[in-house]
């Protein structure tokens, strides 16, 4: 604050003190009889009484000129006070020396004060609440018309309709206390809007208007009895009431605006005056009232009706807003807030005597669809999912979308058995494909179940435990799980793993182990599969099943896959530089298959690492392959065009068929180990393997058998014509530094044995031909291996 501003504020404060002291002195001397205002013989005395309103108006005007905030409100109030002073001067200087008609210019000046004060109060309210209702202006109109109607009606009742002169005089005098009442109600409403903790300015205005109301009521009563004479307590009240607005104008404005909107207290003004006007019209049926009274009363009622219409609209909007606040905009079901409210109601309905259950459902790999295909496709899919879930529920069940791809169901009067039955119906309803804009999706979900009061007696805790059970279903891939005590610790551990993995990606914490793929005709290893491990900062080396499912469900698989791909290509380049022409296979996740930019990322990595595309094979699961066949086919087609091989992993366990594979750019099938491990003992498994090999070859596809653990199984696969084998019989996954000597040994020994120079005869699987040893040392001439 500048020195000039501080000096100016001190001068204004001193002026306010002088004005207040003068008013108190004037009031005290008038009350004790030292000054007989009724005689008004001293011109100084007359001007002292009239100067209070002029001075107060001047202070309000200064406030409007010197301070930026709320200028209009204080300027309007200052205008009203100056008008009041002008009316007072006219009354004391002219009407006391000559007969003047009533109403007179003095009445006009005084009535202008009430009108401007009403406007000023509304403007001050407008600056102090965040959501000001324009209907307050209509409240002021209702109040003004009501005051006029009551004033004229009461005057007519007191002195009769046939005395128009007396009627106008008494009507004017009745209008003053009624106007004071209206202003008091308006200020009281402002108190309510400010949470009944108004600042000093409102207190000063309220006390000022209360003083006016008391003084005007005394004057009206005296005039009605014909006993009014100027002076006495009335003059003291007016003097004090006039100077208080000058003090109110210079109070510090609040820094924070109230969040409250006009409540029921704001309806008192239109309600009170509408009832009063209606009472006047009813009385008019028995007592003749002036036409002006009837017109004013009718105007009051019509204005109140309009105000009621606005109120109805606001209430309806409030109801709509309340409903929207509890409804999910996307699906139309309850949202998290609405669900919690209904859950609390259900919890309190019978105080623990009622059983109910909660289902929490989360879609698997939804984030991949949302990120890859766009939020519009994700939103449309969520709408379809919600409708499917609803069809599986009972009429009394409540479905809500808690956010994202998470839904919750409140099952009334349900135990664990009933809850599981509903959960199974929901999963069955979701099993069918979803068609979104011509694209077909398969959606899996995991459901957690918690029962009240078995698992919790508080609604929020019950929901939390149903959520824990849902994560347990995801981790175990069981689709449905009930809450089990102690699972909370597992969830905390899971969250810790997720956050640590998120922070560890890109920090050289991933490790790759490689498992050989052996050519069943030659016994030579042409390629390896890269299998990821994670070197956890505190827990050591973690296997894939300990973190990959969590990475998949938290949207980290895309980043993780790209990092694994980069590490595998680095190792592949090292082998090629050393003379081992070994291809490398890397598993893809669903987000990669739905990402049209993924082929460009692969091309950039191959270029950066200096690895030819034919040395890379990308493995995809059937589930990921069938997520969106059209988009997947486009991505795989781009990869295949650049020379990268495509393999279907775990074939036989998912949704695909050979007919679908014929439509997709696939080169290799990896037969799931569940068929291979029983090859020695189960004739049915043997038949499936043999027929699958034949059908795959008819489609020009190569077969890799996973899970080879015995020499007998390996021999049978060779007899069936299977191309490649992979399993613990041939070697467990190992780090590159341990696997590299084994690769040299296997490939060189097979080549040496086939030439007949070894110290042992070659076995059936070790016999090779010269054609198999052409070009690049151990690289066979036969086309069709994973990296040719």
């Amino acid at each position: 604050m500048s020195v000039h501003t501080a000096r100016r504020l001190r001068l204004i404060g001193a002026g306010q003190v002088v004005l207040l002291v003068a008013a108190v002195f004037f009031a005290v001397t008038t009350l004790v009889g030292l000054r007989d205002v009724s005689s008004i013989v001293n011109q100084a005395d007359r001007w002292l009484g009239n100067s209070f309103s002029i001075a107060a108006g001047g202070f309000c005007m200064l406030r409007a000129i010197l301070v930026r905030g709320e200028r209009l409100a204080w300027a309007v109030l200052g205008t009203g006070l100056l008008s009041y002073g002008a009316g007072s001067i006219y009354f004391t200087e002219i009407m006391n020396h000559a007969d003047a008609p009533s109403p007179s210019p003095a009445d006009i000046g005084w009535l202008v004060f009430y009108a401007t004060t009403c406007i000023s109060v509304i403007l001050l309210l407008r600056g102090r609440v965040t959501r000001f209702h324009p209907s307050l202006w209509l409240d002021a109109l209702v109040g003004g018309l009501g005051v006029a109607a009551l004033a004229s009606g009461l005057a007519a009742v007191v002195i009769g309709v046939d005395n128009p002169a007396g009627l106008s005089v008494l009507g004017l005098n009745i209008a003053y206390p009624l106007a004071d009442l209206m202003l008091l109600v308006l200020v009281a409403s402002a108190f309510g809007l400010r949470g009944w903790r108004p600042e000093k300015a409102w207190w000063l205005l309220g006390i000022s208007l209360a003083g006016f109301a008391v003084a005007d009521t005394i004057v009206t009563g005296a005039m009605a009895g014909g006993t009014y004479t100027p002076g006495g307590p009335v003059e003291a009240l007016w003097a004090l009431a006039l100077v208080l607005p000058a003090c109110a104008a210079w109070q510090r404005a609040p820094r924070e605006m109230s969040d409250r909107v006009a409540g029921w207290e704001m309806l008192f003004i239109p309600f009170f005056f509408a009832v009063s006007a209606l009472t006047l019209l009813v009385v008019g049926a028995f007592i003749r009232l002036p036409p002006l009274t009837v017109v004013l009363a009718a105007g009051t009622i019509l204005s109140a009706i309009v105000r009621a219409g606005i109120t109805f609209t606001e209430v309806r909007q409030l109801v709509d807003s309340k409903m929207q606040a509890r409804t999910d905009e996307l699906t139309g079901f309850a949202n998290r807030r609405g669900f919690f409210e209904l859950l609390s109601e259900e919890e309190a309905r019978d105080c623990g005597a009622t059983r109910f259950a909660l289902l929490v459902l989360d879609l698997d790999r939804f984030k991949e669809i949302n990120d890859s295909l766009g939020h519009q496709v994700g939103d449309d899919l969520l709408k379809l999912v919600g409708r499917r879930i609803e069809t599986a529920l009972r009429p009394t069940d409540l479905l809500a979308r808690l956010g994202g791809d998470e839904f919750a169901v409140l099952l009334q009067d349900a135990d664990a058995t009933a809850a599981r039955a509903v959960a199974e119906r929901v999963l069955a309803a979701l099993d069918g494909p979803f068609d979104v804009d011509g694209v077909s999706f398969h959606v899996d979900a995991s459901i957690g179940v918690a029962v009240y009061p078995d698992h919790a007696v508080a609604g929020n805790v019950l929901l939390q435990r149903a959520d824990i059970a849902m994560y347990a279903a995801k981790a175990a891939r069981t689709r449905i799980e009930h809450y089990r005590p102690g699972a909370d610790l597992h969830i905390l551990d899971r969250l810790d793993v997720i956050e640590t993995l998120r922070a560890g990606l890109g920090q050289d914490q991933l490790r790759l182990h490689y498992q050989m793929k052996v050519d069943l005709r030659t016994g030579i290893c042409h390629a390896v599969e890269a299998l990821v491990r994670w070197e956890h900062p505190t827990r050591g080396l973690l296997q894939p099943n300990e973190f990959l499912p969590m990475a998949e469900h938290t949207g980290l698989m895309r980043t993780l896959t790209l990092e694994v791909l980069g590490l595998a290509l680095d190792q592949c380049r090292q082998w090629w530089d050393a003379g081992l022409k070994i291809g490398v296979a890397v598993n893809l996740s669903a987000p990669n298959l739905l990402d049209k930019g993924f082929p460009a990322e692969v091309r950039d990595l191959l270029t950066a690492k200096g690895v030819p595309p034919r040395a890379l094979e990308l493995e995809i699961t059937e589930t990921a392959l069938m997520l969106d066949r059209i988009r997947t086919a486009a991505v795989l087609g781009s990869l295949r065009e650049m020379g990268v091989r495509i393999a279907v992993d775990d074939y036989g366990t998912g949704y695909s068929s050979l007919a679908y594979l014929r439509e997709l750019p696939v080169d290799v099938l990896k037969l799931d180990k569940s068929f291979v491990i029983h090859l020695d003992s189960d004739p049915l498994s043997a038949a499936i393997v043999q027929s699958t090999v034949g059908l795959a070859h008819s489609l020009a596809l190569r077969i890799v058998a996973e899970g080879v653990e015995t020499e007998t199984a390996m021999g049978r696969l060779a007899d069936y014509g299977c191309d490649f084998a992979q399993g613990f019989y041939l070697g467990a996954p190992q780090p590159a530094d341990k696997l590299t000597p084994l690769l040299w040994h296997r490939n060189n020994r097979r080549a040496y044995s086939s030439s007949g120079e070894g110290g042992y005869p070659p076995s059936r699987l070790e016999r090779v031909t010269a054609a198999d040893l052409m070009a690049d040392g151990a690289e066979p001439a036969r086309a069709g291996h994973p990296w040719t």
Side-chain angles (χ1 to χ4, degrees):
M1 182 183 297
S2 66
V3 176
H4 178 71
T5 301
R7 184 182 300 114
R8 185 172 59 194
L9 290 177
R10 284 196 296 269
L11 289 174
I12 292 172
Q16 288 177 315
V17 172
V18 171
L19 179 62
L20 187 59
V21 169
V24 172
F25 174 78
F26 181 86
V28 171
T29 55
T30 300
L31 289 173
V32 300
L34 296 179
R35 176 178 288 104
D36 185 6
V37 184
S38 62
S39 61
I40 313 186
V41 294
N42 191 308
Q43 186 176 7
D45 289 341
R46 293 199 307 269
W47 279 100
L48 180 61
N50 295 331
S51 65
F52 294 129
S53 59
I54 300 296
F59 276 108
C60 290
M61 285 296 187
L62 279 176
R63 166 67 169 77
I65 294 171
L66 299 178
V67 182
R68 293 182 180 180
E70 300 176 337
R71 281 179 168 172
L72 181 59
W74 293 113
V76 170
L77 183 57
T79 302
L81 288 167
L82 293 175
S83 176
Y84 191 96
S88 299
I89 292 172
Y90 180 87
F91 180 81
T92 58
E93 297 300 322
I94 297 178
M95 292 188 65
N96 279 296
H97 299 285
D99 292 333
S102 182
S104 70
D107 294 307
I108 295 175
W110 293 332
L111 290 174
V112 167
F113 164 73
Y114 288 104
T116 55
T117 302
C118 180
I119 295 172
S120 176
V121 169
I122 294 177
L123 288 173
L124 289 173
L125 274 177
R126 186 176 185 179
R128 282 166 164 76
V129 293
T130 56
R131 290 166 288 187
F132 179 82
H133 282 244
S135 57
L136 282 176
W137 296 110
L138 193 57
D139 291 343
L141 176 61
V142 173
L145 291 174
V147 165
L150 282 174
S152 61
L154 291 176
V157 171
V158 172
I159 68 172
V161 180
D162 296 328
N163 190 347
L167 181 64
S168 62
V169 173
L170 190 58
L172 277 174
N173 284 279
I174 294 175
Y176 291 125
L178 290 176
D180 291 325
L181 176 62
M182 183 185 73
L183 288 176
L184 279 173
V185 171
L186 191 58
V187 172
S189 300
F191 277 44
L193 288 174
R194 297 295 295 164
W196 301 104
R197 294 185 301 274
E199 60 270 21
K200 292 180 181 179
W202 285 108
W203 281 110
L204 292 171
L205 287 176
I207 295 172
S208 172
L209 294 175
F212 273 111
V214 173
D216 291 340
T217 302
I218 293 174
V219 171
T220 300
M223 291 194 68
T227 61
Y228 172 71
T229 57
V234 173
E235 298 292 340
L237 283 174
W238 273 331
L240 293 173
L242 285 169
V243 300
L244 290 180
C247 299
W250 288 91
Q251 298 300 315
R252 185 183 297 274
R255 294 183 179 180
E256 297 183 358
M257 298 176 69
S258 172
D259 290 332
R260 292 196 59 185
V261 298
W264 293 107
E265 59 270 15
M266 295 307 301
L267 297 178
F268 180 79
I269 293 176
F271 178 78
F272 174 79
F273 287 108
V275 172
S276 301
L278 183 61
T279 303
L280 282 175
L281 294 180
V282 172
V283 171
F286 305 96
I287 300 175
R288 190 161 65 91
L289 295 175
L292 178 61
T293 300
V294 176
V295 171
L296 290 173
T300 303
I301 292 175
L302 288 176
S303 300
I305 290 174
V306 174
R307 177 64 173 91
I310 294 176
T311 302
F312 175 78
T313 302
E314 292 173 349
V315 171
R316 186 176 63 181
Q317 291 174 349
L318 183 62
V319 171
D320 291 341
S321 299
K322 186 176 181 180
M323 181 176 296
Q324 291 172 4
R326 290 158 176 77
T327 304
D328 177 53
E329 183 179 1
L330 179 65
T331 62
F333 301 118
N335 61 10
R336 179 176 288 271
R337 175 184 295 178
F339 185 78
F340 268 108
E341 289 185 358
L342 292 171
L343 181 59
S344 298
E345 292 176 5
E346 185 69 16
E347 177 188 349
R349 185 158 62 98
D350 281 325
C351 301
T354 299
R355 297 175 65 85
F356 62 88
L358 290 185
L359 307 182
V360 172
L361 178 147
D362 188 83
L363 303 182
D364 297 336
R365 295 184 302 278
F366 175 76
K367 190 177 187 302
E368 301 164 1
I369 298 174
N370 215 32
D371 292 345
S372 302
L373 303 184
H375 292 285
Q376 184 59 50
V377 173
D379 289 347
D380 293 340
L381 180 59
L382 287 176
K383 294 177 186 177
L384 296 176
V385 167
R387 293 171 193 165
R388 290 268 191 97
I389 296 174
E390 189 179 30
T391 61
L393 302 180
R394 306 171 303 177
T396 57
D397 298 336
L398 170 71
L399 173 62
R401 177 176 172 240
L402 300 182
D405 61 332
E406 191 174 50
F407 293 84
V409 182
L410 174 60
L411 306 176
Q412 296 181 351
D413 300 321
D415 56 11
T417 303
R420 186 171 190 88
V422 174
E424 290 174 348
R425 289 203 304 270
V426 169
L427 291 179
L430 296 177
D431 277 343
F434 291 85
D435 187 13
V436 180
D437 294 334
V439 179
S440 181
F441 296 96
H442 283 277
V443 174
D444 292 326
S446 301
I447 299 178
V449 181
V451 179
Y452 175 92
D454 299 354
H455 298 143
V457 293
N460 60 332
V461 177
L462 191 70
L463 183 62
Q464 179 186 20
R465 291 182 172 176
D467 201 49
I468 290 171
M470 180 270 293
Y471 278 110
K474 278 185 178 292
R477 298 181 181 270
T478 54
R479 306 189 74 185
I480 300 174
E481 283 289 339
H482 290 258
Y483 173 77
R484 292 189 299 273
D488 311 60
L489 298 177
H490 173 71
I491 292 301
L492 292 175
D493 180 70
R494 173 188 173 89
L495 293 175
D496 176 69
V497 170
I498 291 173
E499 292 307 315
T500 306
L501 177 61
R502 192 188 305 275
L505 290 177
Q507 302 300 316
D508 193 29
Q509 293 183 7
L510 298 184
R511 304 287 182 263
L512 295 188
H513 288 196
Y514 300 89
Q515 188 173 34
M516 292 186 290
K517 296 181 181 181
V518 175
D519 188 329
L520 287 175
R521 190 179 60 84
T522 66
I524 294 176
C525 176
H526 302 300
V528 295
E529 180 181 1
L531 302 170
V532 66
R533 308 289 189 265
W534 176 27
E535 191 70 47
H536 191 280
T538 59
R539 305 184 187 186
L541 194 67
L542 299 184
Q543 297 298 310
N545 63 310
E546 296 180 80
F547 64 93
L548 284 185
M550 289 178 274
E552 182 179 1
H553 294 306
T554 53
L556 299 177
M557 279 300 293
R558 185 177 181 276
T559 304
L560 188 148
T561 300
L562 289 175
E563 185 171 345
V564 169
L565 185 58
L567 294 173
L569 291 178
D570 278 334
Q571 182 57 50
C572 183
R573 181 68 264 171
Q574 293 180 31
W575 279 327
W576 279 58
D577 290 342
L580 273 173
K581 300 302 177 68
I582 299 294
V584 63
V586 176
N587 291 281
L588 292 188
S589 62
N592 302 121
L593 294 178
L594 298 174
D595 184 4
K596 290 183 177 180
F598 180 67
E601 293 176 324
V602 173
R603 182 185 294 108
D604 292 342
L605 279 173
L606 289 170
T607 302
K609 307 299 182 182
V611 175
R614 63 191 178 97
L616 176 63
E617 180 179 290
L618 297 177
E619 297 185 2
I620 54 178
T621 63
E622 289 184 83
T623 303
L625 185 68
M626 304 308 296
L627 189 61
D628 177 1
R629 293 203 308 275
I630 297 176
R631 197 178 187 94
T632 297
V635 172
L636 295 181
S638 298
L639 291 169
R640 198 181 188 197
E641 286 176 3
M642 71 175 69
V644 176
R645 293 283 178 170
I646 307 299
V648 177
D649 197 12
D650 300 332
Y651 179 75
T653 61
Y655 301 108
S656 66
S657 68
L658 290 174
Y660 289 152
L661 296 176
R662 184 178 57 186
E663 301 171 3
L664 294 170
V666 174
D667 302 291
V668 179
L669 294 185
K670 295 190 69 178
L671 193 61
D672 187 69
K673 63 182 180 180
S674 61
F675 300 103
V676 178
I677 58 177
H678 299 296
L679 198 60
D680 298 343
S681 57
D682 184 6
L684 183 58
S685 294
I688 292 175
V689 171
Q690 187 173 9
S691 61
T692 302
V693 170
L695 290 173
H697 284 168
S698 68
L699 294 174
L701 300 176
R702 297 296 179 180
I703 287 284
V704 178
E706 296 183 288
V708 177
E709 298 183 356
T710 64
E711 182 178 4
T712 303
M714 191 169 175
R716 288 196 176 190
L717 289 170
D719 292 338
Y720 296 156
C722 186
D723 300 293
F724 306 99
Q726 179 180 351
F728 281 90
Y729 177 72
L730 298 166
Q734 299 184 69
D737 58 344
K738 294 183 178 180
L739 183 66
T740 301
L742 299 178
L743 290 174
W744 281 111
H745 176 72
R746 169 172 284 277
N747 289 353
N748 289 338
R749 185 166 65 89
R750 293 301 183 264
Y752 181 73
S753 299
S754 64
S755 66
E757 298 179 0
Y760 53 90
S763 67
R764 178 173 55 84
L765 292 178
E766 293 173 340
R767 286 193 291 270
V768 296
T769 64
D772 294 325
L773 299 175
M774 294 176 58
D776 295 324
E779 179 180 356
R782 176 187 172 189
H785 62 74
W787 56 274
T788 302

